[in-house]
Amino acid sequence: MNPAGARTDAGGGAGATPRHVAIIMDGNGRWAGQRHLPRLAGHRAGVEAARRVVRAAGDHGIEVLTLYAFSSENWRRPAQEIADLMGLLRRFIKAELKQLVDAGVRLRVIGDHRMFEPDLVTLIDDAVAQTANNTGTTLVVALNYGSQDELVRVARAIAADAASGAVDPSAIDAAAIESRLDTAGLPPPDLVIRTSGEHRLSNFLMWQAAYAELLFVDTLWPDFDGDALAAAIQDYGRRTRRFGGL
């Protein structure tokens, strides 16, 4: 039996390309600070980096690209910065939706985005609906997402089902949990990249990334581009994934 989420057909090595790449986009503020610019300028540059990487992911044949855009902990930031981020998200959706549709990208959101303002929730839901039948790269955007919150929600759902008799507690297994995760139906990430030189997952896909390859790069997110993604894929291709085996 393979560990939960592990796939022996998706090992690295021999120039393999990861099916699912997940990125913790970090360093917008530092990028702006180094240039004596306001933090908003860094976030704007980060949006441009996201555009580049989405296009590059399709060029590399990556099936799923997950971007950590707004964490459940980001609400602790100053109100003005949160408002700026929400404004950038609105503009990104309005500006990029046609391109996503034309490129065959399917948009999916994980996390509780319904905590956002109603007009933004409607924009997000409409974008997801308009791309639902696309068959190209699946772009997963984590919005108001935190892995611990996700697992708490799953635990509550399973507990409610068990209390109602819909689920036998003795039958609860990894598959039962995975089917209730925000990422249900998606392959687990093969490669998790974090930019800006930090070395932590920051509450991101902690269940799903149990067997992912981790890559920490010093590049600040606004400077990340197609070449940086290609280098990350090459690094992945030199690794051997055993999933606990030999």
Side-chain angles (χ1 to χ4, degrees), residues 24-35 39 41-43 45-46 68 77 81 194-198 200 217-224:
I24 301 171
M25 305 180 294
D26 193 18
N28 292 348
R30 272 169 281 175
W31 184 92
Q34 289 175 1
R35 291 159 177 77
R39 289 179 63 84
H43 293 313
Y68 202 9
R77 295 189 177 189
E81 182 169 355
R194 181 168 187 147
T195 61
S196 86
E198 303 292 346
R200 56 183 178 273
V217 298
D218 291 332
T219 307
L220 300 176
W221 175 246
D223 293 326
F224 201 87

Side-chain angles (χ1 to χ4, degrees), residues 88-126:
L88 286 173
L89 180 57
R90 285 184 180 88
R91 286 193 285 276
F92 177 83
I93 294 172
K94 292 176 180 178
E96 293 297 308
L97 181 56
K98 185 179 185 301
Q99 285 83 351
L100 294 176
V101 171
D102 291 346
V105 174
R106 180 168 68 106
L107 179 64
R108 180 163 168 177
V109 173
I110 60 174
D112 186 9
H113 72 285
R114 299 192 182 282
M115 292 284 291
F116 296 160
E117 294 181 2
D119 70 300
L120 183 52
V121 172
T122 298
L123 271 178
I124 294 168
D125 289 344
D126 286 349

Side-chain angles (χ1 to χ4, degrees), residues 8-233:
T8 56
D9 62 339
T17 297
R19 290 178 64 194
H20 183 173
V21 175
I23 305 179
I24 301 171
M25 305 180 294
D26 193 18
N28 292 348
R30 272 169 281 175
W31 184 92
Q34 289 175 1
R35 291 159 177 77
H36 306 289
L37 297 171
R39 289 179 63 84
L40 178 57
H43 293 313
R44 285 174 175 161
V47 170
E48 293 304 317
R51 288 192 177 101
R52 295 193 299 266
V53 171
V54 171
R55 296 189 187 102
D59 293 341
H60 286 287
I62 292 170
E63 294 179 33
V64 181
L65 173 68
T66 297
L67 301 179
Y68 202 9
F70 190 87
S71 78
S72 53
E73 287 76 32
N74 285 155
W75 293 110
R76 301 170 185 167
R77 295 189 177 189
Q80 185 57 55
E81 182 169 355
I82 293 172
D84 290 340
L85 289 168
M86 297 300 107
L88 286 173
L89 180 57
R90 285 184 180 88
R91 286 193 285 276
F92 177 83
I93 294 172
K94 292 176 180 178
E96 293 297 308
L97 181 56
K98 185 179 185 301
Q99 285 83 351
L100 294 176
V101 171
D102 291 346
V105 174
R106 180 168 68 106
L107 179 64
R108 180 163 168 177
V109 173
I110 60 174
D112 186 9
H113 72 285
R114 299 192 182 282
M115 292 284 291
F116 296 160
E117 294 181 2
D119 70 300
L120 183 52
V121 172
T122 298
L123 271 178
I124 294 168
D125 289 344
D126 286 349
V128 170
Q130 289 188 50
T131 63
N133 295 321
N134 290 351
T135 58
T137 299
T138 295
L139 172 61
V140 182
V141 183
L143 295 172
N144 192 27
Y145 173 85
S147 189
Q148 291 176 337
D149 173 73
E150 177 186 32
L151 292 171
V152 167
R153 288 187 278 111
V154 169
R156 287 174 177 164
I158 292 176
D161 287 345
S164 69
V167 171
D168 180 353
S170 66
I172 297 170
D173 56 10
I177 294 172
E178 289 176 354
S179 68
R180 291 170 171 82
L181 292 172
D182 293 353
T183 52
L186 296 173
D190 301 301
L191 174 64
V192 175
I193 303 168
R194 181 168 187 147
T195 61
S196 86
E198 303 292 346
H199 295 77
R200 56 183 178 273
L201 290 179
S202 292
N203 202 17
F204 182 54
L205 300 179
M206 294 189 296
W207 175 285
Q208 297 89 334
Y211 280 87
E213 294 295 313
L214 306 180
L215 178 63
F216 302 101
V217 298
D218 291 332
T219 307
L220 300 176
W221 175 246
D223 293 326
F224 201 87
D225 56 16
D227 289 342
L229 181 63
I233 292 171

